[in-house]
């Protein structure tokens, strides 16, 4: 079939199969592949996980040891051929050469270091089942329940022992002990199979921003789209919030829809946005790296772009980045401890262009535009 005839043929096939054409064209990459690619099951293949398998997966089992890859491949084949599930492998290597900190001190007065008895390096191979667009996908929940009670032959201890094969599941001995206790106690969990601890997780190969930045909905993105000094353009992962202006919260769905169509924002929220913009411009005129950000509840102004909050210390605290500390001290209000009063008294709230700063500036994480919007599916439909 010629290339230029391929798409019409696919669309016709979708119509005959009852697949909405519009949903196909808007589908994310992993769904497009799943529609037309026959589920392959080859016992000699491992089917490594990629970022094309969807953002949410089910962790079915993990393996470690000399024969971990072999047993993982057996499970992959059985899940694909017998259970008709798209299963993949993902390998993670851990380096324990430096050991881990234990209690007490060593002979030199430093923190005691514990060494691992089974060597300095550990390789774990996970078997994941996908490909799900959201954490609460009905299909993901159905498959998860199915996996918890499944009894694949490659995870049957008796069958493996008769075949002279080792058991390579991580924590297999602990799982077996738990099962014995549950059977003795009459727990309903005794009916679960060797994958009874399966759980839904994120695809580890997808960018972190796909999950962490999805909180910015369409309305918030539009509110910040034409902003000259938008916080969304701040290059660093951290900044310092120096001013907060609250307004009427836009939470009514009908009002949100109206605002998205171009209706004017509520007056108090509009005034908050105006103050934030005026203060940002005033700070920029003074040479500060200032940004503004607006959401349904408030508008904020921040100063600075920082790669980190500071340097971790040995006692578990963080030594604040000197540049960040300077911003906090510059814009913080003057406070004075008063004998007999539990809280310090605020002496002077600083301002610029007659617009006040917050009493106590706070470092915050910079919000990001969600790259997950490219897939055109909701990640957290529960929100």
């Amino acid at each position: 079939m010629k290339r230029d005839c391929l798409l019409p043929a696919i669309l016709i096939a979708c119509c005959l199969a009852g697949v909405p054409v519009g949903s196909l064209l808007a589908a994310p990459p992993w769904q497009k592949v799943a529609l037309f690619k026959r589920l392959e099951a080859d016992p000699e293949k491992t089917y490594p996980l990629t970022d094309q398998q969807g953002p949410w997966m089910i962790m079915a089992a993990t393996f470690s040891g000399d024969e971990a890859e072999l047993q993982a491949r057996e499970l992959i084949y059985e899940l694909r051929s017998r259970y008709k599930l798209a299963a993949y492998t993902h390998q993670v290597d851990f380096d324990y050469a430096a050991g881990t900190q234990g209690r007490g001190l060593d002979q030199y007065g430093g923190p005691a270091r514990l060494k691992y008895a089974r060597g300095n390096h550990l390789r774990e191979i996970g078997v994941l089942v996908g490909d799900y667009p959201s954490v609460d996908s009905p299909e993901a929940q159905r498959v998860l329940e199915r996996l918890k009670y499944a009894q694949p032959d490659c995870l049957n201890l008796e069958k493996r022992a008769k075949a002279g094969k080792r058991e390579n599941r991580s924590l297999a001995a602990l799982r077996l002990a738990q099962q014995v206790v549950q059977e003795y106690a009459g727990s309903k969990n005794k009916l679960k199979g060797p994958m009874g601890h399966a759980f839904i997780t994120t695809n580890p190969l997808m960018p972190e921003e796909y999950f962490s930045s999805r909180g910015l909905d369409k309305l918030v993105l539009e509110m910040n789209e034409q902003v000259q000094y938008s916080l969304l353009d701040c290059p660093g992962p951290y900044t310092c919030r120096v001013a907060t202006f609250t307004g009427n919260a836009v939470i009514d769905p009908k009002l949100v829809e109206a605002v998205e169509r171009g209706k004017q924002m509520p007056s108090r929220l509009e005034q908050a946005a105006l103050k934030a913009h005026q203060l940002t411009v005033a700070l920029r005129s003074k040479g500060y790296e200032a940004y503004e950000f607006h959401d349904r509840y408030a508008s904020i102004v921040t100063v600075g772009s920082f790669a980190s909050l500071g340097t971790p210390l040995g006692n578990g605290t963080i030594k604040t980045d000197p540049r960040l500390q300077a911003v906090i001290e510059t814009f913080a209000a003057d406070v004075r401890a008063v004998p007999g009063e539990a809280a310090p008294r605020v002496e002077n709230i600083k301002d610029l262009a007659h617009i006040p700063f917050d009493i106590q500036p706070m470092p915050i994480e910079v919000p990001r535009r969600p790259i997950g919007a490219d897939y055109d599916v909701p990640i957290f439909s529960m929100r």
Side-chain angles (χ1 to χ4, degrees), residues 136-348:
D136 59 341
S137 162
E139 178 65 11
Q141 298 296 330
R142 184 187 67 80
V143 173
L144 176 62
E145 190 69 10
R146 183 185 177 193
L147 284 174
K148 286 180 178 290
Y149 292 92
Q151 298 285 350
D153 292 337
C154 67
L155 299 183
N156 186 295
L157 296 179
E158 293 183 4
K159 292 182 179 180
R160 293 193 68 81
K162 290 181 180 180
K165 297 180 179 180
R166 296 178 55 184
E167 175 58 49
N168 300 276
R169 272 181 294 158
S170 303
L171 304 177
L174 175 61
R175 304 299 189 212
L176 181 59
Q178 290 177 338
Q179 185 176 2
V180 172
V181 172
Q182 289 168 355
E183 290 179 354
Y184 180 79
S187 171
K188 64 179 181 179
N189 288 330
K190 69 179 181 180
L191 301 176
K192 291 184 178 180
M195 295 182 290
H197 290 81
F199 59 92
I200 296 179
T201 184
T202 58
N203 185 335
L205 297 182
M206 293 198 69
E208 183 180 350
E209 291 85 355
Y210 185 94
F211 305 96
S212 62
S213 300
R214 195 61 178 197
L216 299 182
D217 58 28
K218 181 179 179 181
L219 174 59
V220 175
L221 288 172
E222 290 182 354
M223 293 169 66
N224 292 274
E225 192 61 36
Q226 302 300 322
V227 176
Q228 184 179 4
Y229 303 114
S230 172
L231 183 58
L232 297 178
D233 297 322
C234 178
Y238 300 99
T239 186
C240 185
R241 184 182 64 203
V242 298
T244 306
F245 307 97
T246 58
N248 292 320
V250 184
I251 56 177
D252 181 14
K254 293 183 179 180
L255 180 56
V256 170
E257 184 178 352
V259 172
E260 290 177 346
R261 292 198 305 264
K263 181 179 179 179
Q264 198 71 14
M265 296 291 291
S267 58
R268 283 185 58 189
L269 198 57
E270 184 182 44
Q271 289 298 318
L274 178 61
K275 289 182 180 179
H277 175 69
Q278 291 174 338
L279 183 57
T280 301
V281 172
L283 285 167
R284 287 271 174 171
S285 68
K286 297 289 186 180
Y288 291 103
E289 182 185 359
Y291 301 95
E292 58 183 292
F293 181 77
H294 315 280
D295 64 18
R296 302 184 185 201
Y297 310 95
S299 293
I300 66 171
V301 176
T302 74
V303 170
S305 171
F306 309 99
S308 68
L309 297 178
T311 305
L313 301 178
N315 59 2
T317 62
I318 295 180
K319 181 181 179 182
T320 307
D321 184 317
R323 298 180 303 126
L324 173 59
Q325 186 63 37
V327 171
I328 294 175
E329 294 176 355
T330 298
F331 299 100
D334 297 327
V335 295
R336 180 173 62 89
V338 179
E341 295 185 9
R345 181 177 300 177
V346 177
E347 297 285 349
N348 176 39

